[in-house]
């Protein structure tokens, strides 16, 4: 409930755990959630990093593409 700082910290922990265990699907999923939280918090630049990682792992996923387009629209006003 708007505690984005805690949610982002937990999402980053999930990313670390997924990377440590080479869980490809979970790496992409965690990066997608992290990017969503960062966008909601208003940190578009940091959200780009997580989105790039998610896009790299799931290039054709409509959810990732839609979030990237939404972030771009926010940046462009």
């Amino acid at each position: 409930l708007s505690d984005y700082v805690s949610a982002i910290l937990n999402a980053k922990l999930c990313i670390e755990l997924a990377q440590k265990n080479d869980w490809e699907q979970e790496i992409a999923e965690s990066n997608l959630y992290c990017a969503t939280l960062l966008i909601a918090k208003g940190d578009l630049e940091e959200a780009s990093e997580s989105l790039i990682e998610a896009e790299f792992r799931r290039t054709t996923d409509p959810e990732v593409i839609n979030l990237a387009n939404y972030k771009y629209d926010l940046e462009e006003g």
Side-chain angles (χ1 to χ4, degrees):
L1 300 171
S2 300
D3 185 5
Y4 296 118
V5 174
S6 295
I8 291 166
L9 289 174
N10 285 317
K12 288 182 178 185
L13 178 60
C14 289
I15 293 169
E16 288 179 36
L17 289 170
Q19 288 174 335
K20 184 177 181 179
N21 291 292
D22 293 324
W23 297 335
E24 289 296 316
Q25 186 67 19
E26 287 77 7
I27 293 170
E29 220 33 57
S30 298
N31 274 290
L32 181 64
Y33 292 136
C34 188
T36 302
L37 293 165
L38 288 162
I39 290 169
K41 184 181 174 229
D43 192 347
L44 301 180
E45 188 171 322
E46 192 174 347
S48 293
E49 296 173 24
S50 292
L51 267 175
I52 289 169
E53 185 68 27
E55 287 177 304
F56 172 74
R57 296 177 188 282
R58 293 167 60 180
T59 57
T60 60
D61 185 330
E63 190 174 12
V64 175
I65 294 167
N66 289 338
L67 185 61
N69 289 337
Y70 177 70
K71 185 191 78 64
Y72 177 77
D73 289 343
L74 289 175
E75 289 173 329
E76 295 299 311

